[in-house]
Amino acid sequence: SAVISQKPSRDICQRGTSLTIQCQVDSQVTMMFWYRQQPGQSLTLIATANQGSEATYESGFVIDKFPISRPNLTFSTLTVSNMSPEDSSIYLCSGGLAEANEQYFGPGTRLTVT
Amino acid sequence: AQSVAQPEDQVNVAEGNPLTVKCTYSVSGNPYLFWYVQYPNRGLQFLLKYITGDNLVKGSYGFEAEFNKSQTSFHLKKPSALVSDSALYFCAVRVRSGNTPLVFGKGTRLSVIA
């Protein structure tokens, strides 16, 4: 299994600012993804983080708003740019090994935008 | 496109009674099926998965799930519920191909009453 950590665990930010969330995996993983979850709701996939290339975004999410980096097989960042209250949510990093059909999740970053 | 349906928002069960959390799926091709549990203010924890083989899959904390291809279902079960099982449960699916992310159901809140 893989252990995934995220920083920060929570933050309160003012509208118009940006926040970068870091995701660290304790082992190399082939897959890394970023999800958004409203409290008590399901997970919505934001994008697939691709190592050394641009992330693949889902419908409704764009690079200018959610730039993602993945410089290696154990680390990724998600930036929430020009934040508005509608961006208040829990952001979850996920990683796993495709060949092992395993996907693990970080504890999440709880973001509140005021 | 792949999708997951969890028809029940809430399931209530008395402690010691058997529990079932329902899940049906829709994919083109053979599915990989997963169950995750989320406790308050925590990330998602992996419970079990079906990849191939025996239709009855056993997982963590005494949970099991039965894959039924004809009914496209993957219901989560436990013979005797504990109060500590109270949490939010997510069913997820992935098609059998490479680095594809999980698609989640909306979640079912399980409440076990002492």
Side-chain angles (χ1 to χ4, degrees):
Chain A
S1 65
V3 177
I4 300 178
S5 58
Q6 288 183 231
K7 289 194 296 187
S9 59
R10 59 177 62 225
D11 207 342
I12 301 173
C13 302
Q14 292 191 341
R15 72 170 65 213
T17 62
S18 298
L19 176 71
T20 295
I21 303 168
Q22 297 180 6
C23 174
Q24 180 73 55
V25 190
D26 69 343
S27 58
Q28 292 186 346
V29 291
T30 51
M31 311 182 293
M32 288 189 80
F33 308 101
W34 286 96
Y35 289 83
R36 185 168 71 181
Q37 183 186 24
Q38 298 289 337
Q41 302 297 316
S42 188
L43 283 75
T44 300
L45 181 66
I46 297 172
T48 300
N50 301 309
Q51 186 205 354
S53 64
E54 191 172 289
T56 305
Y57 290 85
E58 297 299 302
S59 175
F61 298 95
V62 295
I63 188 172
D64 290 344
K65 176 67 176 177
F66 298 101
I68 289 170
S69 77
R70 187 182 173 191
N72 56 50
L73 291 177
T74 63
F75 186 78
S76 178
T77 66
L78 167 74
T79 299
V80 186
S81 302
N82 188 24
M83 288 184 284
S84 67
E86 292 70 35
D87 295 320
S88 296
S89 190
I90 300 168
Y91 292 85
L92 291 154
C93 173
S94 177
L97 296 170
E99 58 271 25
N101 295 300
E102 296 175 347
Q103 189 169 334
Y104 298 92
F105 287 81
T109 296
R110 184 179 294 270
L111 171 62
T112 302
V113 183
T114 60
Chain B
Q2 53 201 20
S3 65
V4 175
Q6 293 182 244
E8 303 154 318
D9 291 334
Q10 174 95 29
V11 170
N12 298 318
V13 63
E15 186 175 30
N17 283 3
L19 69 88
T20 298
V21 183
K22 296 179 180 178
C23 171
T24 59
Y25 66 90
S26 174
V27 299
S28 54
N30 293 319
Y32 291 160
L33 293 159
F34 300 77
W35 276 101
Y36 287 83
V37 60
Q38 187 176 40
Y39 297 98
N41 301 312
R42 302 281 296 278
L44 269 70
Q45 296 180 32
F46 169 78
L47 278 180
L48 52 79
K49 65 183 178 184
Y50 171 82
I51 304 301
T52 187
D54 194 347
N55 289 342
L56 184 63
V57 179
K58 294 187 182 297
S60 306
Y61 313 120
F63 284 93
E64 59 188 29
E66 186 166 12
F67 172 63
N68 187 317
K69 188 173 184 177
S70 63
Q71 297 185 3
T72 62
S73 67
F74 190 56
H75 301 330
L76 181 70
K77 300 180 180 183
K78 187 173 182 180
S80 179
L82 300 172
V83 172
S84 57
D85 293 330
S86 299
L88 189 56
Y89 290 80
F90 291 99
C91 182
V93 67
R94 180 158 70 89
V95 297
R96 295 191 180 198
S97 62
N99 293 339
T100 55
L102 293 173
V103 173
F104 285 84
K106 65 179 180 178
T108 298
R109 186 165 300 281
L110 173 67
S111 180
V112 181
I113 304 163

